[in-house]
Amino acid sequence: MSAPREVELKLECVGPDLSALARHPLLQGTPEPQLIVSTYFDTADQDLRAAGLTLRVRRKGERFVQTVKAGEGGVGLFDRAEWEVAVAGETPDREAFADTPVRAVLEAARKPALVPLFSTVVMRAEHPIEYGASRILATLDAGRVETPASGDTTLSELELELESGSAGDLFALAQALAETVPLRLGARSKSERGYALLDGRSLRPRKAEPVAIPEEARAADAFRLVALACLRQLRLNEEVFLAARPAEALHQMRVALRRLRSAFSLFKPILEGDPRAAALNEEIKRVTAPFGEARNLDVFLATTLPAEIERRPDEPGLAALRERLEAEHARAYAAVMATLDAPEWRALLIDLVAWIETGPWREAPGADEPAPDFAARVLERFRRRVKRRGRHLDRLDPEERHRVRIAAKKLRYGAEFFAGLYGSKKARKRHKVFGDALSDLQDHLGALNDLATAHTVMAGLAVPGDGAAGPVDGAVAFAAGLTAADKEAEAGTLLEKAAEAHDDLVDVKPFWR
């Protein structure tokens, strides 16, 4: 028997906006908010978490409900297996989860005793809504996640649960509500927030997570999982950036966006018949242009300029150059914040998830191809592209080298996306060797790209944009030219190493064959 499913769209906002949302005309009636306390349990070694399961006991008035959920870790639309049953008290009832995956995990655990790890305390208001041809339960939660020793964090969420009807209506309702208050796509469940508090990484930048694509998946299933994983990385780092502005969070946001746009290229055979695919890809590129300028300045100020100051400690113009670039950096970060605060940005992310979950591309020709077969064809095509474009790499002009770098980056992301589809011992060993060779090539091409970036940054000083600090004085201009020249002197060595790395990659056996 298949497990019961919970289909829920999770959206986030700040407390005052949640209060304003409660007065929205679509949320008919004034339900009395209820206090709900949920305690999450796991073994001391967190075996349930490792298995992708959560177990909680929720108190609502005088009633207690025990819930097991599978499939934690998503973004936007959470489609999870869920087992729910009334129990007698606030501690887990083992008989009540006997028919769930929890039982097998606990039987395999060396220390199967369950302990309370954290709780959520929320005031909840539930609004049943008829929207389109669907029945949707809108739940407004305001409260906090509490841990015994790791502090707490606030919660302010809107959850839209599809009780009957279509996911399309769910997303249409979300966009209608988002026109009133700033709603952001949710990327973490309450349990994930609790575990993050325990780990001490609630607001730390997050690298890309492995994408678990089942071997029996269709090509369309693979794209869905890859695209949602990219959006999850984006949203997790956006949350960190909005809170504290760390450069690494911005970097990881750009990585997530590059991975997402690479997925559009890798899966082009099944996306090209859907005009929304190209439109969304272009919109992502357009809207996020300020991220690139800000990141270039991050790298220049953190790496390029300190190295130049160490190389030429007596050059007085370098201090003035740093001051000028720091002003440009502040302006660039303000542009990033303006993008993230714009309604268009929040709507774009909801639109992306809606299209990923409901778009016509899901039934396109080739969408039903087995994912391993599709992946092998795609990886082979991009490997040939890198091999062909990278011939005589040390003789190519900067534009041609850039094309090699882009092709290599897409190949690397594809190798990461599809790695789990090739699980034999030989394939895993080949994947590591292939990944190392590809990473080496990218490192050298990236260093060459940093040279071009340095020239771009310097050229930007000569032609300041809106809000820039004004004309460049002679000392700054001289220091900028000196820095660019010193970086250019490194190009010869980098080109030789890049060409060697390309030849090494061509000799490596592909892991997908």
Side-chain angles (χ1 to χ4, degrees), residues 142-208:
R144 62 190 183 277
V145 183
E146 299 178 341
T147 64
S150 304
D152 60 13
T153 186
T154 58
L155 283 172
S156 185
E157 298 178 340
L158 166 66
E159 297 174 353
L160 300 177
E161 184 174 353
L162 185 64
E163 296 187 328
S164 65
S166 70
D169 287 338
L170 197 70
F171 287 108
L173 174 59
Q175 290 288 31
L177 295 174
E179 291 175 359
T180 303
V181 300
L183 295 172
R184 295 187 189 273
L185 198 64
R188 294 196 292 174
S189 64
K190 293 180 177 67
S191 61
E192 189 175 358
R193 290 183 181 278
Y195 280 116
L197 272 177
L198 294 177
D199 296 342
R201 59 183 181 90
S202 288
L203 285 175
R204 291 185 183 178
R206 301 280 288 273
K207 293 185 177 181

Side-chain angles (χ1 to χ4, degrees), residues 384-431:
R384 288 197 301 268
R385 185 176 297 179
V386 172
K387 179 179 178 180
R388 182 179 68 254
R389 290 181 178 178
R391 289 194 184 102
H392 309 299
L393 185 63
D394 51 344
R395 304 179 200 170
L396 300 181
D397 62 37
E399 180 60 30
E400 291 171 324
R401 288 200 305 268
H402 180 67
R403 293 176 62 212
V404 178
R405 177 172 169 268
I406 295 302
K409 186 174 295 184
K410 291 177 180 178
L411 178 60
R412 181 180 180 182
Y413 290 151
E416 292 173 356
F417 293 152
F418 298 129
L421 291 172
Y422 306 96
S424 69
K425 184 176 180 180
K426 181 173 76 171
R428 290 197 304 270
K429 183 177 180 181
R430 284 187 175 182
H431 183 274

Side-chain angles (χ1 to χ4, degrees), residues 177 228-229 232 238 316 408:
L177 295 174
L228 291 178
R232 174 175 160 81
E238 180 188 5

Side-chain angles (χ1 to χ4, degrees), residues 57-383:
V57 177
R58 170 169 288 172
R59 179 181 176 182
K60 189 175 181 180
E62 298 302 317
R63 295 180 61 244
F64 294 90
V65 176
Q66 179 173 291
T67 304
V68 173
K69 292 188 180 185
E72 289 296 299
V75 63
L77 192 66
F78 287 70
D79 182 358
R80 299 171 288 191
E82 180 184 61
W83 297 263
E84 194 166 85
V85 63
V87 292
E90 59 188 13
T91 57
D93 182 334
R94 288 178 178 264
E95 289 299 318
F97 59 65
D99 294 329
T100 76
V102 168
R103 179 178 180 177
V105 173
L106 294 183
E107 287 176 351
R110 290 177 294 177
K111 298 177 182 178
L114 292 166
V115 295
L117 295 184
F118 53 89
S119 298
T120 61
V121 181
V122 301
M123 292 301 295
R124 167 166 292 182
E126 297 180 337
H127 301 259
I129 300 173
E130 301 288 339
Y131 197 82
S134 302
R135 181 174 175 82
I136 299 166
L137 181 64
T139 300
L140 280 65
D141 281 347
R144 62 190 183 277
V145 183
E146 299 178 341
T147 64
S150 304
D152 60 13
T153 186
T154 58
L155 283 172
S156 185
E157 298 178 340
L158 166 66
E159 297 174 353
L160 300 177
E161 184 174 353
L162 185 64
E163 296 187 328
S164 65
S166 70
D169 287 338
L170 197 70
F171 287 108
L173 174 59
Q175 290 288 31
L177 295 174
E179 291 175 359
T180 303
V181 300
L183 295 172
R184 295 187 189 273
L185 198 64
R188 294 196 292 174
S189 64
K190 293 180 177 67
S191 61
E192 189 175 358
R193 290 183 181 278
Y195 280 116
L197 272 177
L198 294 177
D199 296 342
R201 59 183 181 90
S202 288
L203 285 175
R204 291 185 183 178
R206 301 280 288 273
K207 293 185 177 181
E209 300 164 339
V211 184
I213 304 175
E215 288 189 23
E216 67 275 13
R218 306 183 306 154
D221 300 325
F223 175 72
R224 174 182 177 272
L225 292 169
V226 166
L228 291 178
C230 295
L231 283 176
R232 174 175 160 81
Q233 183 192 10
L234 174 64
R235 276 292 295 122
L236 290 174
N237 286 288
E238 180 188 5
E239 185 178 344
V240 177
F241 187 82
L242 288 170
R245 317 287 194 275
E248 180 61 18
L250 176 62
H251 172 56
Q252 292 302 329
M253 287 174 64
R254 289 198 70 220
V255 169
L257 289 163
R258 287 200 303 265
R259 287 168 64 88
L260 179 59
R261 297 193 65 225
S262 293
F264 275 77
S265 294
L266 293 163
F267 287 89
K268 184 178 179 180
I270 63 173
L271 300 180
E272 58 187 351
D274 185 343
R276 284 282 288 158
L280 285 168
N281 196 10
E282 284 303 310
E283 184 65 4
I284 294 167
K285 180 180 180 181
R286 183 189 69 80
V287 170
T288 59
F291 296 12
E293 181 183 357
R295 179 58 186 167
N296 288 344
L297 286 163
D298 278 336
V299 172
F300 198 94
L301 284 167
T303 305
T304 305
L305 190 55
E308 185 68 11
I309 290 173
E310 184 176 353
R311 183 185 294 115
R312 299 179 182 275
D314 298 327
E315 172 51 51
L318 291 172
L321 175 60
R322 178 169 57 194
E323 184 177 347
R324 172 59 183 261
L325 288 175
E326 286 172 346
E328 295 294 325
H329 181 264
R331 181 182 61 82
Y333 264 54
V336 172
M337 285 301 303
T339 296
L340 299 181
D341 284 338
E344 292 79 10
W345 167 258
R346 297 188 295 270
L348 173 60
L349 297 193
I350 297 174
D351 278 348
L352 274 165
V353 173
W355 173 77
I356 291 165
E357 297 286 5
T358 65
W361 67 269
R362 295 168 63 87
E363 303 303 326
D368 285 333
E369 182 180 5
D373 297 344
F374 178 86
R377 284 194 304 103
V378 167
L379 291 169
E380 193 66 42
R381 185 170 76 250
F382 276 85
R383 178 181 178 273

